[in-house]
């Protein structure tokens, strides 16, 4: 058996792992590289394998860094089934259609520049038509359902507790009359967060491919995050400002809405200002959350109200509505994408508001190196955006505990549930320094670790 990491190897994005057995060749995820230009260029490089020979793939969840290259994969010949949970299956058309739209618009803008420079135009990475060819391949599989493929492969999708529909992939592979269990964690969530269940604990595995996004740090626990966000909102609104929250359309936005609805219900002094959900993509994704109460945790199921529709919340799918928000001087809370400020409506809000000291930019998600969000978070006094330079005068805040990823403590606790210890734990989906530190931490606890490099093949006898 051979396993090759074609993405998320010493980087956080572009998740893609190829498994080759005596009977099958298949992928775990096929995600877009996100972040700076160097990472983004990888999306246009040729795959290091032939998509036509793949038999099928498993998709752990609907984040673009895990699914965003599937249209390119299909465009280049992949035609197998894509196994995913029902919630992920519902998210795929929304996420990929939006991604294709961005690819087409970015290419259109780039080609105008290339024509002026006398260069030949480029084709987009993939188009809306390519996305439509993906959708018939998506095959929903319920959590905890034990299925067999061919003569040598069995699999189970377990709840990863990361976002709605996220899955851990358990593989039971038989070769030479010996069965081995390989577990791909996907992205693991934190325990005790709203809406979805905690990550499923698994007791046995021979080899584990474990995400490491926050493997060398602990999430901020100085204050419960509802108190932190309440404090930031009250301070900002109190000085007549706006709270801009760059937010990922999938999961982070819904968790924010859930938290804001609870704060509004339980706190009479919650500022009575408009809360704008200014993201067409997030509005569509929120409808999927409404339709999948079956995977809510007990607390969310027990709520009698609708946590994604509450007084003061205004959804603004139209561009004209978004422009009105930017022009308005009234205090408000604005949730908009993209989560790393690399695209989307948040950039227009920052253009109009980041130079106003009354305002606050609140980061609640991971900011990849090279992204505009990371530049702002790292303390830049000026930012370049839309061909102009803007002075940063707004207050910059970050709440790390909103992360959908488990931190070092959470990852370690999940791993320690395996008894006996796995033969080896391969660390993926993390920045190089983070993975090295996490590997040392796990080695000190008696685990044997490995850190795959990009396109490195691991041979499992």
């Amino acid at each position: 058996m051979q396993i090759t990491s074609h993405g998320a190897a010493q980087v956080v994005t572009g998740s893609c792992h190829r498994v080759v057995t005596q009977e099958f060749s298949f992928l775990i995820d096929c995600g877009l590289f996100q972040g700076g230009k160097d990472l983004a260029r990888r999306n246009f490089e040729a795959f290091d394998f032939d998509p036509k020979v793949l038999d099928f793939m498993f998709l752990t969840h609907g984040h673009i860094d895990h699914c965003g290259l599937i249209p390119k994969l299909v465009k280049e010949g992949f035609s197998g089934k894509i196994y995913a949970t029902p919630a992920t299956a519902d998210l795929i058309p929304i996420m990929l259609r939006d991604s294709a739209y961005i690819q087409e618009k970015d290419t259109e803008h780039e080609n105008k520049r290339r024509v002026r420079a006398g260069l030949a135009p480029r084709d987009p990475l993939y188009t809306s038509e390519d996305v439509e060819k993906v959708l018939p391949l998506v095959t929903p599989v319920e959590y905890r359902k034990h299925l067999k493929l061919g003569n040598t492969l069995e699999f189970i999708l377990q709840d990863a507790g990361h976002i709605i529909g996220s899955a851990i992939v358990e593989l039971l592979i038989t070769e030479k009359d010996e069965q081995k269990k390989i577990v791909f964690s996907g992205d693991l969530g934190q325990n005790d967060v709203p809406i979805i269940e905690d990550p499923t604990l698994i007791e046995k595995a021979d080899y584990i491919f474990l995400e490491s996004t926050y493997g060398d740090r602990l999430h901020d626990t100085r204050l419960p995050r509802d108190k932190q966000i309440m404090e930031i909102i009250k301070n900002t609104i109190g000085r007549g400002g706006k709270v801009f929250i760059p937010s990922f359309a999938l999961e982070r936005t819904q968790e924010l809405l859930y938290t804001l609805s609870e704060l509004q219900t339980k706190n009479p002094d919650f500022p009575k200002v408009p809360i704008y959900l200014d993201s067409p993509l997030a509005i569509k994704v929120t409808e999927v959350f409404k339709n999948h109460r079956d995977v809510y945790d007990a607390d969310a199921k027990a709520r009698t109200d609708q946590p994604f529709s509450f007084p003061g919340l205004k959804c603004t799918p139209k561009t004209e509505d978004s422009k009105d928000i930017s022009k308005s001087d009234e205090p408000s809370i604005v949730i908009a994408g993209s989560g790393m400020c690399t695209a989307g409506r948040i950039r227009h809000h920052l253009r109009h508001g980041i130079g106003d000291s009354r305002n606050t930019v609140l980061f609640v998600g991971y900011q990849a190196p090279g992204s505009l969000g990371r530049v702002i978070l790292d303390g830049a006094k000026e930012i370049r955006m839309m061909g102009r330079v803007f002075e940063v005068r707004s207050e910059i805040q970050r709440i790390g505990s909103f992360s959908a990823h488990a931190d070092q403590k959470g990852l370690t606790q999940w791993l320690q549930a395996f008894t006996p210890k796995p033969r080896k734990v391969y660390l993926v989906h993390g920045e190089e320094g983070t993975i090295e530190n996490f590997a040392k931490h796990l080695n000190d606890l008696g685990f044997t670790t490995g850190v795959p490099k990009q396109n490195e093949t691991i041979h499992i006898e």
Side-chain angles (χ1 to χ4, degrees):
M1 185 192 322
Q2 299 177 355
I3 302 177
T4 307
S5 293
H6 297 286
Q10 299 181 321
V11 295
V12 171
T13 62
S15 185
C16 183
H17 310 283
R18 181 167 55 101
V19 182
V20 179
T21 70
Q22 290 176 340
E23 187 176 9
F24 295 119
S25 175
F26 59 93
L27 294 184
I28 311 288
D29 293 338
C30 189
L32 201 71
F33 288 95
Q34 296 173 301
K37 290 182 179 179
D38 288 341
L39 274 177
R41 286 191 191 100
R42 293 192 189 181
N43 296 316
F44 291 88
E45 295 174 359
F47 289 114
D48 289 286
F49 51 87
D50 184 358
K52 298 185 190 71
V53 305
L54 296 171
D55 297 294
F56 49 82
M57 71 174 292
F58 297 99
L59 178 58
T60 61
H61 63 284
H63 275 148
I64 286 297
D65 66 321
H66 289 255
C67 71
L69 276 187
I70 296 178
K72 179 185 175 186
L73 191 75
V74 171
K75 181 180 179 181
E76 297 188 12
F78 173 72
S79 59
K81 289 184 177 181
I82 301 169
Y83 296 104
T85 66
T88 298
D90 286 350
L91 288 168
I92 289 307
I94 298 170
M95 301 301 292
L96 292 185
R97 285 168 181 160
D98 179 77
S99 179
Y101 176 80
I102 292 171
Q103 300 298 330
E104 290 166 339
K105 286 297 180 183
D106 284 354
T107 304
E108 182 181 320
H109 177 77
E110 170 69 8
N111 282 342
K112 289 179 181 177
R113 184 193 67 80
R114 291 177 69 85
V115 168
R116 289 195 299 269
L119 301 172
R122 294 173 54 177
D123 292 327
L125 183 62
Y126 52 81
T127 65
S128 301
E129 288 75 15
D130 296 320
V131 168
E132 297 309 309
K133 295 174 184 176
V134 172
L135 306 185
L137 306 178
V138 179
T139 304
V141 176
E142 298 283 353
Y143 284 133
R144 298 176 292 280
K145 189 171 183 179
H146 194 128
L147 294 177
K148 187 171 184 178
L149 299 175
N151 299 313
T152 59
L153 176 62
E154 301 168 55
F155 75 92
I156 309 168
L157 302 183
Q158 302 282 13
D159 196 336
H162 172 60
I163 64 171
I164 198 163
S166 60
I168 300 162
V169 181
E170 290 188 74
L171 300 174
L172 294 164
I173 300 172
T174 302
E175 290 187 324
K176 297 180 181 178
D177 298 323
E178 183 181 354
Q179 188 179 75
K180 287 189 173 63
K181 186 174 180 180
I182 319 292
V183 172
F184 288 83
S185 72
D187 287 352
L188 292 176
Q190 300 189 66
N191 291 326
D192 302 320
V193 297
I195 309 174
I196 57 178
E197 298 280 5
D198 293 346
T200 302
L201 298 180
I202 301 170
E203 294 182 355
K204 287 182 170 58
D206 294 297
Y207 299 92
I208 299 172
F209 283 74
L210 177 63
E211 72 115 323
S212 314
T213 311
Y214 289 104
D216 67 344
R217 70 201 81 173
L218 301 176
H219 293 317
D220 187 359
T221 56
R222 288 174 298 171
L223 281 174
R225 59 187 178 187
D226 55 345
K227 291 186 178 180
Q228 285 182 281
I229 196 168
M230 181 72 173
E231 185 178 283
I232 291 167
I233 288 171
K234 287 180 68 175
N235 289 342
T236 305
I237 302 303
R239 59 178 181 255
K242 296 180 179 180
V243 181
F244 299 118
I245 309 179
S247 184
F248 301 109
L250 174 50
E251 189 279 330
R252 191 58 38 81
T253 291
Q254 292 73 39
E255 197 171 339
L256 274 168
L257 294 177
Y258 190 97
T259 300
L260 291 171
S261 70
E262 281 199 320
L263 286 173
Q264 192 180 75
T265 300
K266 296 177 180 178
N267 295 275
D269 59 340
F270 187 90
K272 291 180 172 55
V273 297
I275 300 172
Y276 294 106
L277 179 51
D278 191 31
S279 166
L281 178 60
I283 293 168
K284 294 175 184 175
V285 169
T286 302
E287 290 302 310
V288 175
F289 272 70
K290 292 178 182 179
N291 294 333
H292 280 278
R293 292 181 62 90
D294 56 304
V295 293
Y296 287 8
D297 64 14
D299 290 340
K301 286 178 179 176
R303 284 186 62 162
T304 56
D305 64 337
Q306 174 48 263
F308 305 117
S309 301
F310 51 89
L313 177 63
K314 299 181 179 181
C315 296
T316 53
K318 296 180 180 178
T319 304
E320 294 75 15
D321 296 333
S322 181
K323 291 179 178 178
D324 289 340
I325 298 169
S326 293
K327 293 174 185 175
S328 172
D329 200 40
E330 68 170 344
S332 60
I333 301 166
V334 182
I335 303 169
S338 68
M340 298 184 194
C341 306
T342 52
R345 294 182 179 181
I346 191 63
R347 292 166 69 90
H348 295 277
H349 293 301
L350 294 179
R351 175 185 178 183
H352 289 280
I354 201 166
D356 190 333
S357 60
R358 296 174 300 170
N359 298 334
T360 297
V361 181
L362 172 59
F363 291 100
V364 293
Y366 176 78
Q367 304 300 310
S371 66
L372 177 60
R374 183 70 163 259
V375 170
I376 296 170
L377 192 58
D378 285 347
K381 301 300 181 185
E382 293 180 340
I383 57 170
R384 178 172 291 277
M385 181 175 58
M386 301 178 179
R388 291 177 54 189
V389 174
F390 298 89
E391 190 173 353
V392 178
R393 294 196 186 100
S394 294
E395 181 180 344
I396 309 300
Q397 290 279 1
R398 175 180 177 269
I399 300 180
S401 57
F402 259 102
S403 174
H405 290 268
D407 60 6
Q408 184 185 86
K409 180 180 178 182
L411 292 169
T412 304
Q413 287 177 341
W414 183 80
L415 196 56
Q416 287 175 325
F418 288 86
T419 52
K421 286 184 173 65
R423 298 184 190 184
K424 198 161 188 176
V425 180
Y426 292 98
L427 301 180
V428 296
H429 206 284
E431 293 176 18
E432 188 173 355
T434 298
I435 287 184
E436 290 173 357
N437 293 332
F438 190 35
K440 183 180 184 306
H441 166 74
L442 294 180
N443 292 340
D444 290 343
L445 294 175
F447 291 95
T448 301
T449 61
V451 180
K453 296 177 182 177
Q454 179 77 9
N455 295 326
E456 178 185 357
T457 296
I458 296 163
H459 296 268
I460 295 178
E461 298 299 329

